[in-house]
Amino acid sequence: MKIFLKTEDEIELMRRANRLVGKTLGELAKHIKPGVTTLQLDTIAEEFIRDHGAVPTFKNFPNPYGESFPASICTSVNDAVVHGIPDNTELRDGDIISIDCGTLLDGFNGDSAYTFCVGEVSDEVRKLLKTTKESLYLGIEAAVAGNHLGDIGNAVQNHCEAEGYGIVRELTGHGIGREMHEDPQVPNYGRRGNGSMLKASMCIAIEPMVTMGDRNIWLMPDRWTVKTRDGKPAAHFEHTIVVRRGKSEILSSFEEAELIEGKLY
């Protein structure tokens, strides 16, 4: 494992890349409604990112099978957990859609994800989103210098499992910097005090992936989209942070998305 600590100049560049991700999610929030296709959202995201001098990191990103991701954002609807490919499917009232977005700006990466409501969503699903988002911030609270990776996962896991939700184990958060995925992996489950120690100036992406039913998942034939096996909805929220002493700093932002969508949960 090779973990790169960042200088303050590098952290500033990462802050800029992540702020652009937040602005992109806010731009997309303006267009998320019944009848819109995920492909239309992808076009909006790519144009917005490129107009701001950055590159959409996910475009042509390789998977373990040597295949390139064909779009600029991941659009995962309802029972899709992550890595959904934008297409001509129209969003419907009552859907939820997780949008994962990455930018490469001035040599450094930004990465964040937000799960949006489409129209009127059931209270049951809204509770899943609320719990997942809360678990992200609890994980961030645990991500301070001197703690361990297991402290982050334990905070996420305990909060979500207390509500009867499942924690996806096969997919994790990750280090981030000049590369989109760097060491270490950041699981959403674990025991306190276990795993690598967190050091000041580490940059990591924490991203709870939480299922309404059990935690088992399928990889779809497109070899990208991951869905729940039981067909129940899943939520996904992600922030990129820099580990600090005492309290870590969130580099990405949900403010723009929440300004448009409202704090529904």
Side-chain angles (χ1 to χ4, degrees), residues 50-106:
R50 293 190 187 279
D51 285 349
H52 285 78
V55 174
T57 322
F58 297 173
K59 192 89 178 252
N60 299 318
F61 198 87
N63 67 10
Y65 307 100
E67 299 162 341
S68 298
F69 192 74
S72 296
I73 55 173
C74 298
T75 53
S76 305
V77 180
N78 296 333
D79 62 335
V81 184
V82 287
H83 304 161
I85 299 173
D87 60 18
N88 288 312
T89 303
E90 293 185 359
L91 297 177
R92 298 173 299 175
D93 188 62
D95 284 346
I96 55 172
I97 176 172
S98 166
I99 297 183
D100 196 349
C101 179
T103 63
L104 179 64
L105 180 65
D106 295 330

Side-chain angles (χ1 to χ4, degrees), residues 31-165:
H31 301 274
I32 293 171
K33 58 186 177 182
V36 170
T37 70
T38 52
L39 195 57
Q40 287 173 316
L41 296 175
D42 181 68
T43 299
I44 292 165
E46 180 167 5
E47 289 179 356
F48 189 85
I49 291 166
R50 293 190 187 279
D51 285 349
H52 285 78
V55 174
T57 322
F58 297 173
K59 192 89 178 252
N60 299 318
F61 198 87
N63 67 10
Y65 307 100
E67 299 162 341
S68 298
F69 192 74
S72 296
I73 55 173
C74 298
T75 53
S76 305
V77 180
N78 296 333
D79 62 335
V81 184
V82 287
H83 304 161
I85 299 173
D87 60 18
N88 288 312
T89 303
E90 293 185 359
L91 297 177
R92 298 173 299 175
D93 188 62
D95 284 346
I96 55 172
I97 176 172
S98 166
I99 297 183
D100 196 349
C101 179
T103 63
L104 179 64
L105 180 65
D106 295 330
F108 284 87
N109 284 280
D111 189 12
S112 183
Y114 194 91
T115 302
F116 295 90
C117 297
V118 183
E120 291 298 319
V121 172
S122 71
D123 290 343
E124 184 184 29
V125 170
R126 195 167 292 189
K127 183 184 175 187
L128 170 69
L129 270 56
K130 180 177 184 289
T131 304
T132 305
K133 188 196 279 186
E134 288 171 347
S135 78
L136 169 60
Y137 287 105
L138 289 171
I140 292 169
E141 284 181 17
V144 293
N147 277 1
H148 294 75
L149 287 171
D151 294 301
I152 300 173
N154 184 262
V156 172
Q157 180 180 13
N158 284 351
H159 188 66
C160 294
E161 289 186 347
E163 298 293 340
Y165 300 135

